[in-house]
Amino acid sequence: MATRLQRRSLLTVILRLALAGAAMITPTVKAQTETATFGVISQRSPTLTAQYWNPILRHVADKAGVPLVLKLARTGPEHAAMITRGEPDFIYSNHNFTPENDTAGYRVIARPAQAAISGQIIVLGSSQFKSLAQLQGKDVVFPSLAAFVGYYVPMDALLRQGIEVSPLFAGNQEGAIGQLKAGRAAAAAVNSEVIREYAKRDGLSYRVLWTSELYQNIPISVHPRIPKQRIEAVREAFVRMAEDPEGARILAASAELIKQAPPFGFVLASDADYENVRQFHRTTRVKGD
C-alpha cells in the first residue's frame, strides 16, 4: 500500500500537471471567447442598421467562433473618430482611407458582393433644377463632413466646377435624403446604393444631376492588433456565408429590410482594391473636417 508521503507526492504531481494544463489552455479559450467589436459606418438609422447587421454578425460569430458585437456611432464624424482612435476591432467603413485615419492601420479583408458605388448629387423628381450649375448659391444637404461618396467626392466636384453651395449636414445618408424630401434643401449628395435602396422602399422619385466615378463597395477591415487566426476565421465566415443555407436566408432577410438588390453576401478583398479612394484623398480640393 502507498504510504501517506507517497500519496501526498502523487497528489502534488497531479496538481502541478493540472495547473500546467490550465496555463496552456487559458490563452486559447480566452482567444476564442473574447468579444470583438464591429464598427459600422453611419448611413441609416441606428435601429435599421442594427436590424440589418445583428443577424449577420451572429451567424459570422457562430461560424468563426469569434463573438462579435455591433458598435455604432451617432454620426459619421463620431464614427471616423472611433477609427482614428483604433477602437473597433473590425469595421465596415471607408473612413479608414483618409490621411488622418490611414495610420490607424486597418487592413481590408472583404467587401460586399454588390456592385461598386458612386457619389451622386440628386434632386426630387419634381424639382425645377436640371443641372449642377443651377445649384449655385443653393442649399445642398450632405450626410456629414466625414462621408466619402456623400461629401468628399461631390463637394470636390462642385469646387472644381466653381459652383458654390450652402452646405447642410444631416448626420447620415438617409437623414440627408429625408431633409431633401422635406424641402429643406434644393439637392442632396448621397451614396448611389443607399439612395437606390431608399427610393425602392419609399417610392421616392428623384433625378440624378451628377455621378462620380466608381469606387469599390464599402469594405470590411480589421485592426492590426487582432490575431491572424481570428482574422482568418472571421473573413472565411463572411465569405462563405452566402454558400451556407442558413447564412443565405439571413442575408436575404437583411437585404429585404433595406430593399438591397442581389447578389448578397461578401467576397474577398484587399487594400489594393481601394487605391483610387486613397488617390482621391491625395488630390482632393476638399479640406478635412
Side-chain angles (χ1 to χ4, degrees), residues 19 34 87 90 117 132 161 178 182-183 243 248 262 273 278 280 288:
L19 290 174
E34 186 176 347
E87 291 179 4
F90 295 87
I117 59 174
L132 282 187
Q161 295 186 41
E243 302 171 2
D273 299 325
R278 288 192 167 93
F280 172 88

Side-chain angles (χ1 to χ4, degrees), residues 181-246:
K181 282 179 58 181
R184 298 193 182 102
V190 293
N191 175 319
S192 59
E193 182 180 60
V194 174
I195 181 58
R196 183 170 58 249
E197 293 165 355
Y198 185 101
K200 188 175 181 180
R201 295 198 320 265
D202 192 69
L204 178 70
S205 172
Y206 68 98
R207 181 185 310 122
V208 178
L209 300 185
W210 173 86
T211 299
S212 76
E213 69 172 280
L214 291 173
Y215 298 92
Q216 286 287 10
N217 215 304
I218 297 171
I220 295 171
S221 302
V222 62
H223 195 274
R225 67 172 168 269
I226 306 305
K228 182 179 179 181
Q229 184 178 2
R230 293 195 117 200
I231 295 172
E232 292 177 348
V234 169
R235 177 174 54 198
E236 182 174 2
F238 269 113
V239 171
R240 292 186 177 276
M241 187 170 181
E243 302 171 2
D244 179 271
E246 179 63 12

Side-chain angles (χ1 to χ4, degrees), residues 56-220:
I56 294 173
L57 295 184
R58 283 195 292 269
H59 177 86
V60 170
D62 181 61
K63 295 298 182 180
V66 179
L68 295 170
V69 60
L70 183 64
K71 188 176 181 65
L72 297 176
R74 292 181 303 168
T75 65
E78 290 181 10
H79 171 80
M82 286 198 314
I83 293 176
T84 303
R85 296 189 296 268
E87 291 179 4
D89 298 314
F90 295 87
I91 56 173
Y92 169 73
S93 180
N94 51 17
H95 290 329
N96 47 308
F97 299 122
T98 65
E100 297 82 7
N101 287 342
D102 210 19
T103 55
Y106 284 94
R107 180 169 59 86
V108 174
I109 58 172
R111 64 173 174 81
Q114 283 83 22
I117 59 174
S118 60
Q120 292 185 329
I121 297 176
I122 66 166
V123 295
L124 295 177
S126 58
S127 172
Q128 62 178 315
F129 302 116
K130 309 290 186 183
S131 69
L132 282 187
Q134 292 177 299
L135 297 181
Q136 183 74 37
K138 300 295 190 295
D139 290 337
V140 175
V141 61
F142 300 86
S144 75
L145 281 167
F148 178 61
V149 296
Y151 174 69
Y152 275 96
V153 171
M155 180 56 82
D156 182 79
L158 291 169
L159 291 174
R160 290 180 186 278
Q161 295 186 41
I163 300 171
E164 295 184 7
V165 300
S166 297
L168 305 175
F169 298 97
N172 60 48
Q173 294 277 345
E174 293 198 353
I177 300 167
Q179 289 201 19
L180 177 66
K181 282 179 58 181
R184 298 193 182 102
V190 293
N191 175 319
S192 59
E193 182 180 60
V194 174
I195 181 58
R196 183 170 58 249
E197 293 165 355
Y198 185 101
K200 188 175 181 180
R201 295 198 320 265
D202 192 69
L204 178 70
S205 172
Y206 68 98
R207 181 185 310 122
V208 178
L209 300 185
W210 173 86
T211 299
S212 76
E213 69 172 280
L214 291 173
Y215 298 92
Q216 286 287 10
N217 215 304
I218 297 171
I220 295 171

